[in-house]
């Protein structure tokens, strides 16, 4: 993959995280209202997700490098919060289809609420954001947010991994270490990140030009996941996992997983039901 493409993605991700001083409008800013930071911030880069290395009681932002030989280097953005009290690791992923982006601000706003809850945890009053969202406190465990899983597809604003292969990453899991470029990428996403989760919420939506209902894909034989699925009050509920999907492969290794299909693509802001995911 050309270095210019990777560079443009890192610029977009910095803007996603509020860390860009570049005024040029990006494809992300055309879809969402992202506040501009006053100065540029360089984020750390790691080879794998190490839960035990995360600092306690603070929101971390960093990249995990996915480096299959055929691709060079691709950096995947990560949000993380680790409570000082032990508990499960909950992963929230988005944009495994690069043009399904409603989940990006859901993850942003979730960690913004957690960050406010951490900053003001010793205050007697609750902090409220410009969106009317109160701060959020995490009692135990760890929350990991991956706002963009499919980096090449996101950069190109397409569902697939790239235009040459036309491969759907959500049909290639858990990938192959010695396979074609999309298979190598899927392998490293799955083994370097997803295997560290105890729970997985994979956020999807309709892409531009399509319509969708609110529906959930979940293993209804798993009590906790079944309860989560019903709490979302979906219009459609699907039990069977698709072969090669992130959810299905996560379930196969013992990760309790569900997929949320969240409505329509955004015009400027995400739809009300997507925002509701961070308010519930």
């Amino acid at each position: 993959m050309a270095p210019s493409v990777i560079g443009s993605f890192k610029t977009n991700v910095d803007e996603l995280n509020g860390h860009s001083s570049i005024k040029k409008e990006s494809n992300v800013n055309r879809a969402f209202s992202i506040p501009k930071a006053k100065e540029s911030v360089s984020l750390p880069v790691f080879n794998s997700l190490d839960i035990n290395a995360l600092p306690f009681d603070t929101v971390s932002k960093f990249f995990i490098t996915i480096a299959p030989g055929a691709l060079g280097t691709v950096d995947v953005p990560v949000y993380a919060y680790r409570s000082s009290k032990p508990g499960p690791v909950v992963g929230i992923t988005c944009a495994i289809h690069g043009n399904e982006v409603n989940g990006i601000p859901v993850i942003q706003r979730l960690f913004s609420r957690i960050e406010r809850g951490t900053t003001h945890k010793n205050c007697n009053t609750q902090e409220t954001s410009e969106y009317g969202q109160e701060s959020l406190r995490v009692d135990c465990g760890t929350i990991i947010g991956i706002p963009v899983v499919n980096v090449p597809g996101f950069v190109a604003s397409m569902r697939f991994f790239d235009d040459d292969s036309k491969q759907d990453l959500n049909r290639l899991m858990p990938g192959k270490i010695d396979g074609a470029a999309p298979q190598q990428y899927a392998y490293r996403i799955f083994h370097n990140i997803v295997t560290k989760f105890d729970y997985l919420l994979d956020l999807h939506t309709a892409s531009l030009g399509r319509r969708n209902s609110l529906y959930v894909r979940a293993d209804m034989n798993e009590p906790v996941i079944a309860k989560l699925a019903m709490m979302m009050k979906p219009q459609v509920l699907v039990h069977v996992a698709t072969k090669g999907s992130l959810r299905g492969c996560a379930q196969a290794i013992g990760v309790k997983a569900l997929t949320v299909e969240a409505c329509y693509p955004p015009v400027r802001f995400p739809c009300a039901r997507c925002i509701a995911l961070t308010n519930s």
Side-chain angles (χ1 to χ4, degrees), residues 164-185:
D164 293 332
S165 69
K166 295 289 194 300
Q167 292 290 300
D168 185 338
L169 282 183
N170 208 34
R171 300 294 182 270
L172 296 179
M173 295 295 168
K176 294 182 180 179
I177 193 171
D178 57 352
Q183 294 171 316
Q184 291 183 41
Y185 189 92

Side-chain angles (χ1 to χ4, degrees), residues 16-247:
L16 273 174
N17 291 338
H19 290 320
S20 177
S21 58
I22 299 174
K23 295 183 179 180
K24 181 179 179 182
E25 186 181 41
S26 71
N27 61 338
V28 176
N29 283 336
R30 285 196 295 269
F32 307 107
S33 177
I34 304 298
K36 300 293 192 300
K38 294 181 180 179
E39 58 182 347
S40 179
V41 176
S42 178
L43 300 179
V45 181
F46 303 102
N47 292 324
S48 184
L49 178 61
D50 185 353
I51 302 299
N52 293 326
L54 295 173
F56 288 121
D57 297 326
T58 186
V59 171
S60 304
K61 301 173 186 179
F62 53 91
F63 290 99
I64 291 179
T65 292
I66 307 296
L71 284 175
T73 298
V74 179
D75 295 332
V76 174
V78 181
Y79 289 83
Y81 179 85
R82 182 187 181 198
S83 172
S84 56
K85 296 181 181 180
V89 178
V90 178
I92 308 173
T93 56
C94 173
I96 193 170
H97 295 136
N99 61 353
E100 298 183 7
V101 295
N102 275 5
I104 294 174
V106 172
I107 292 175
Q108 288 176 317
R109 293 176 186 182
L110 172 64
F111 279 89
S112 177
R113 292 180 66 189
I114 293 172
E115 193 163 38
R116 286 195 301 276
T118 301
T119 303
H120 300 276
K121 65 181 179 180
N122 295 320
C123 298
N124 293 325
T125 59
Q126 283 188 308
E127 182 78 0
T128 302
S129 76
E130 60 182 302
Y131 302 107
Q133 298 171 326
E134 294 179 346
S135 60
L136 182 65
R137 299 181 186 179
V138 180
D139 290 334
C140 65
T142 300
I143 300 179
I144 305 294
I146 312 294
V148 179
V149 172
N150 181 1
V151 174
F154 172 74
V155 171
S157 298
M158 67 169 59
R159 175 184 180 87
F160 302 116
F161 178 75
D162 58 26
D163 197 41
D164 293 332
S165 69
K166 295 289 194 300
Q167 292 290 300
D168 185 338
L169 282 183
N170 208 34
R171 300 294 182 270
L172 296 179
M173 295 295 168
K176 294 182 180 179
I177 193 171
D178 57 352
Q183 294 171 316
Q184 291 183 41
Y185 189 92
Y187 180 91
R188 285 168 172 82
I189 287 287
F190 191 80
H191 291 274
N192 292 5
I193 300 175
V194 177
T195 58
K196 313 299 177 68
F197 299 161
D198 297 308
Y199 293 86
L200 167 66
L201 282 74
D202 187 28
L203 305 182
H204 291 243
T205 187
S207 56
L208 192 62
R210 298 191 177 191
R211 299 175 68 85
N212 206 357
S213 60
L214 175 62
Y215 70 95
V216 172
R217 299 173 182 268
D219 181 0
M220 299 305 289
N221 292 324
E222 172 54 53
V224 173
I225 290 300
K227 183 176 180 180
L228 285 174
M230 297 304 295
M231 286 174 64
M232 293 182 182
K233 298 180 180 179
Q235 294 163 302
V236 179
L237 186 56
V238 180
H239 170 71
V240 178
T242 304
K243 183 179 180 180
S245 68
L246 182 60
R247 176 176 77 92

